[in-house]
Amino acid sequence: MSTVITPPPLPSVPTDKTVKAKQADPPEVTLMQLTAIDEADSLGLPIPCRAFDPEVFFAETPADVEYAKSLCGTCPVKAACLTGAVERREPWGVWGGELFVQGVIVARKRPRGRPRKTEVMA
């Protein structure tokens, strides 16, 4: 007697059509973020805002803000985080690799005090 052994079915890989269909449906922002973070957690992907102290992402000095933005560079949920922050008009902090001040994305944080009148020699 010969026994035929069939391997288990492979998990389905999303096609371009299913990916576009998922992108076309705009889910609620908070649900989208939670789903993205949960999926990243279940896959074991590192999420910087969960691995580092949250105070890093609400820093006061320009150097610390740039450091927080650099941490977001490798985050797997960066796009969902930024989309959610824009939708909610986050008052301040680093979200999705961008700095928010009064609900608006700002290119960089200026240091405290008046700007210098002359250039500083490096």
Side-chain angles (χ1 to χ4, degrees), residues 59-63 65-66 69 92 99 101 106-111:
E60 290 293 327
T61 64
V65 169
E66 292 303 317
K69 288 167 68 173
W92 68 294
L99 174 64
V101 176
V106 178
R108 65 182 186 90
K109 184 172 180 87
R110 293 184 54 195

Side-chain angles (χ1 to χ4, degrees), residues 48-101:
C49 59
R50 290 195 173 180
F52 291 89
D53 182 19
E55 293 295 318
V56 171
F57 299 95
F58 299 96
E60 290 293 327
T61 64
D64 290 343
V65 169
E66 292 303 317
Y67 174 68
K69 288 167 68 173
S70 71
L71 291 176
C72 293
T74 60
C75 184
V77 294
K78 180 180 174 180
C81 179
L82 181 60
T83 302
V86 169
E87 294 279 328
R88 293 186 308 271
R89 294 186 47 94
E90 283 294 336
W92 68 294
V94 175
W95 298 87
E98 298 291 337
L99 174 64
F100 283 77
V101 176

Side-chain angles (χ1 to χ4, degrees), residues 4-66:
V4 178
I5 300 174
T6 58
L10 296 174
S12 64
V13 177
T15 62
D16 288 339
K17 290 180 182 179
T18 57
V19 171
K20 287 179 183 176
K22 287 182 182 178
Q23 292 174 350
D25 299 330
E28 190 174 305
V29 174
T30 55
L31 289 177
M32 178 179 67
Q33 278 189 299
L34 289 176
T35 302
I37 289 174
D38 290 342
E39 288 174 5
D41 272 345
S42 68
L43 295 174
L45 299 174
I47 300 174
C49 59
R50 290 195 173 180
F52 291 89
D53 182 19
E55 293 295 318
V56 171
F57 299 95
F58 299 96
E60 290 293 327
T61 64
D64 290 343
V65 169
E66 292 303 317

